[in-house]
Amino acid sequence: MAERKVILSVEHLSVSFTQYERGWRQTELPVIRDLNVQVRTGEVVAVVGSSGSGKSLLAHAVMGLLPDNASWSGTMSFEGEALTEKRLKKLRGRELMLVPQSVSYLDPLMTVGNQVRKGRKDPESRRSCREALERYGLGEETERLYPFQLSGGMTRRVLISTAVMEKPHLVIADEPTPGLHISAAKRVLSHFREIADEGAGVLLITHDLELAVEAADRIVVFYAGTNMEEAAAEDFQAEERLRHPYSRALYRAMPGHGFQAAPGTQPYVKNLPEGCPYGPRCPDYSGECTGEIEYRSFQDGMVKCSRR
Ligand SMILES: Nc1ncnc2c1ncn2[C@@H]1O[C@H](COP(=O)(O)OP(=O)(O)O)[C@@H](O)[C@H]1O
Ligand SMILES: [Mg+2]
């Protein structure tokens, strides 16, 4: 097989927010630290992690949509070139597409057809809009509906149609399945699989590890604003194939593996321990875990753990 081209490369990404305490003291809140993700053509990379681990911020950083009080450092490149603000303006909404977490991104006062076509009325736009909706099982009548008339699954499919209309090279989907029945959720994820099979890269953000394992090629595990592990989706078939104690805890918490929840909770940025953020919950915790920990290759994957 030909070498797959890297579409998105994020290296050593850190994101912090400037906050004011008691009105005048300025503090920096480092919500993402040393984050690394790569997406290649034809590949679905799932980013999994619990709420607050930094998944949406990664998506917003790549899209250049971080709020004004956020700053970032590190490198982000798209098809081998740095993602500058100027370049993002050209790519966003074309080669680079976000399928947003919130369905409120749809305009409540515009029919589906108009939104997907972005108001264009020429025959070519009408035809490609029809094709895109048709592909996701949405008949002609859907074009005349308003967002409030759609079911949750239909809304998700409209958002995906809007994205594929532009033939993107990279699709970032932020939690595309919450609120959906399992069969609708699986169907939505199969659409992202198809988009990748046709040659685009997909960064699939989700807190549902089971669905991620089914739909993705690779899984990147987030915890408290950084990545703990990168594994092939198949590695989640057996606990011993996983590299990080946190991924193993996630594995044991999956419905098919006994639902065993690990004690403790993910720390908030203001209360991070020294070194590994998972340290205080980790069965293998030792003195080495309090220092700086490198993210490195290990057994065909990546791990950020000083005990491996
Ligand atoms: N505008 C903001 N100001 C301050 N902190 C923020 C802001 N947006 C997000 N955060 C914090 O950043 C962390 C990661 O958020 P987010 O990326 O939304 O998590 P996820 O999508 O994984 O649930 C959370 O702790 C959240 O509280
Ligand atoms: Mg989120």
Side-chain angles (χ1 to χ4, degrees), residues 213-231:
V213 167
E214 218 170 288
D217 299 294
R218 286 188 295 124
I219 305 219
V220 180
V221 177
F222 276 26
Y223 186 77
T226 191
N227 34 10
M228 300 275 111
E229 167 155 4
E230 181 183 312

Side-chain angles (χ1 to χ4, degrees), residues 168-194:
H169 299 185
L170 179 72
V171 176
I172 302 181
D174 192 359
E175 304 271 11
T177 58
L180 296 187
H181 186 269
I182 183 77
S183 58
K186 284 190 177 174
R187 183 161 171 202
V188 163
L189 291 194
S190 74
H191 298 321
F192 289 109
R193 178 74 262 167
E194 272 166 34

